[in-house]
Amino acid sequence: MREFIVEADGGSRGNPGPAGYGSVVLDAATGETLVEAYEYLGVVTNNVAEYRGLLAGLRAAHDLDPAARVHVRMDSKLVVEQMSGRWKIKHPDMKPLALEAGRVFPPGRVTYEWIPRERNKHADRLANEAMDSAASASSVRKPTPAAAEADTETKSKADAGTKAETKAETKAEADVRAATAVASPGWAPADMGAPATFVLLRHGETPLTPQKRFSGSGGTDPALSEVGREQAERAATALARRGTIQHVLASPLTRTRQTAAAVADRLGIEVTVEEGLIETDFGAWEGLTFGEVRERYPDDLNTWLSDPEAEPTGGGESFAATATRIAATRDRLVAAYAGRTVLLVTHVTPIKTFVRLALGAPPESLFRMELSAASLSAVAYYADGNASVRLLNDTSHLRP
């Protein structure tokens, strides 16, 4: 029985934005490239583009030999885990694509493996070629000579695509214009590739939240209250409806992990705990209200309010130290999730710090931002080092 390896990838510049996929079919025995395929998809999300790449690769392998066994390699953890049956598929745009991919070969003839992005460069290059070709609406499937002998229908399919090129060109250009209007950060050019987009979700309420008590990383680590759990479910519903989240990261504290779990369960994505997202340590002020701190430690509080280098009483973390930590976390995550949309479930101070640093605002701006429980904010980070604040303190999903 013949064996093939399918490598596939997809991307979206804006997520959703101008998107495309790339697929490669290899001979498992020789490593020879048999088929290359790529296609511009118009404006869709990263996840949809990845599924479309998988589907194209499986169909190309089926065209070569319907009786073959296939091993799929992708750098999309979401697609690999969902197609392997370990994660649920809940998003309405992905369910039909997953079902269609599962029907190309009989059950048991396709296996899936996650690989790092650097090992998926061939398919990634083709996906970028597809997105780059948007201006001319190129939709191409390119077999190598070896594949041409195995698949005599390819030429006629390519000819049909050429005939449709003029008609599709207008649609592709309209897609690019529409996505540019949505995705461009201010007046910046839209040709820097897809940004790393951090959707920042503050955890739901705990018993301390409505009492406005200091609750950092040095306190009792409270769990969500009943209200907080409801808020987390509402946030999960809203994010599932948007369908753009590809990864979920959370602070290690209980309230953020509980909030992240509600979202991740709805999306069928695992939660990764990220230590750098933890809340500031408020030292001896943990569990106290602002008024109680002012009464007990007036001098320390006044210094803290005026000097970002000042620590809370008892050796907590200063705002300057928090900013240094968040900047390092930001840089590491931007590099790790370039071009991806990532949900970061964290706390008041880290979220305000992400926003402050993106705006280049002074430290005192932390006291001039409102950030409600279970609110959503978003910052996009571009390849040239610039950032764009796209959302701040959105609580519309919490309304009845």
Side-chain angles (χ1 to χ4, degrees):
M1 180 180 290
R2 200 171 184 189
E3 294 187 11
F4 298 129
I5 294 172
V6 169
E7 295 178 346
D9 198 11
S12 173
R13 294 171 180 170
N15 198 27
Y21 69 72
S23 304
V24 188
V25 181
L26 308 171
D27 187 302
T30 66
E32 178 186 4
T33 298
L34 302 177
V35 177
E36 292 180 326
Y38 67 81
E39 183 179 358
Y40 171 66
L41 299 173
V43 176
V44 300
T45 65
N46 274 319
N47 290 339
V48 169
E50 288 166 343
Y51 263 107
R52 290 288 299 274
L54 167 65
L55 188 55
L58 291 173
R59 285 173 172 168
H62 189 271
D63 287 347
L64 292 174
D65 186 349
R69 289 188 178 277
V70 178
H71 183 63
V72 175
R73 300 194 298 215
M74 298 180 68
D75 62 50
S76 171
K77 187 78 169 176
L78 176 73
V79 174
V80 168
E81 294 299 315
Q82 288 181 341
M83 291 303 298
S84 298
R86 292 185 289 270
W87 289 3
K88 297 178 182 178
I89 305 172
K90 295 186 176 181
H91 194 278
D93 290 342
M94 289 184 277
K95 279 185 177 181
L97 293 172
L99 289 172
E100 195 172 354
R103 289 194 291 261
V104 176
F105 284 92
R109 292 248 298 276
V110 182
T111 56
Y112 290 87
E113 176 190 3
W114 177 85
I115 58 174
R117 181 175 297 184
E118 57 269 20
R119 289 179 54 197
N120 203 28
K121 290 182 178 179
H122 195 161
D124 177 73
R125 174 177 58 79
L126 292 173
N128 277 287
E129 285 183 21
M131 288 182 278
D132 291 341
S133 74
S136 60
S138 177
S139 176
V140 183
R141 185 174 166 202
K142 306 188 304 180
T144 63
E149 295 174 2
D151 184 3
T152 58
E153 296 182 2
T154 301
K155 184 178 184 298
S156 63
K157 293 179 181 177
D159 289 342
T162 302
K163 292 177 183 177
E165 182 172 327
T166 302
K167 180 179 179 182
E169 182 170 0
T170 302
K171 180 180 184 299
E173 291 175 344
D175 287 340
V176 173
R177 285 195 299 272
T180 296
V182 173
S184 296
W187 294 277
D191 58 355
M192 291 179 290
T197 301
F198 293 169
V199 178
L200 306 165
L201 172 61
R202 186 189 169 193
H203 60 81
E205 284 189 10
T206 74
L208 300 183
T209 307
Q211 300 175 26
K212 298 188 180 299
R213 295 184 180 276
F214 283 94
S215 182
S217 56
T220 58
D221 191 18
L224 295 178
S225 64
E226 183 176 348
V227 170
R229 289 192 294 272
E230 174 62 24
Q231 290 172 332
E233 290 297 333
R234 288 180 178 269
T237 299
L239 291 167
R241 189 180 301 119
R242 296 181 188 185
T244 56
I245 301 299
Q246 297 168 286
H247 308 274
V248 178
L249 279 64
S251 152
L253 297 183
T254 299
R255 53 195 183 272
T256 42
R257 287 190 290 107
Q258 289 177 325
T259 304
V263 178
D265 181 64
R266 189 71 58 89
L267 298 178
I269 301 176
E270 290 186 340
V271 177
T272 299
V273 174
E274 170 55 57
E275 295 286 340
L277 298 176
I278 200 167
E279 178 60 291
T280 299
D281 182 350
F282 293 111
W285 303 349
E286 294 279 358
L288 302 180
T289 65
F290 190 87
E292 288 170 339
V293 171
R294 182 175 292 282
E295 181 180 338
R296 299 182 194 184
Y297 311 103
D299 293 339
D300 289 351
L301 180 62
N302 289 334
T303 302
W304 180 74
L305 292 173
S306 60
D307 182 1
E309 299 284 348
E311 298 176 351
T313 307
E317 186 179 26
S318 69
F319 283 145
T322 300
T324 299
R325 169 167 59 85
I326 293 300
T329 302
R330 173 203 61 196
D331 293 346
R332 179 164 45 80
L333 296 182
V334 166
Y337 296 101
R340 302 279 169 159
T341 299
V342 186
L343 179 69
L344 306 184
V345 186
T346 179
H347 310 265
V348 169
T349 314
I351 293 174
K352 287 185 176 182
T353 302
F354 273 111
V355 172
R356 178 181 82 76
L357 294 175
L359 295 174
E364 56 266 29
S365 63
L366 295 177
F367 300 110
R368 298 172 184 172
M369 286 184 258
E370 176 68 23
L371 205 70
S372 303
S375 63
L376 289 166
S377 304
V379 182
Y381 298 92
Y382 289 84
D384 64 354
N386 285 317
S388 173
V389 176
R390 296 187 170 183
L391 190 69
L392 180 64
N393 196 39
D394 177 19
T395 58
S396 59
H397 53 282
L398 301 178
R399 298 169 192 157

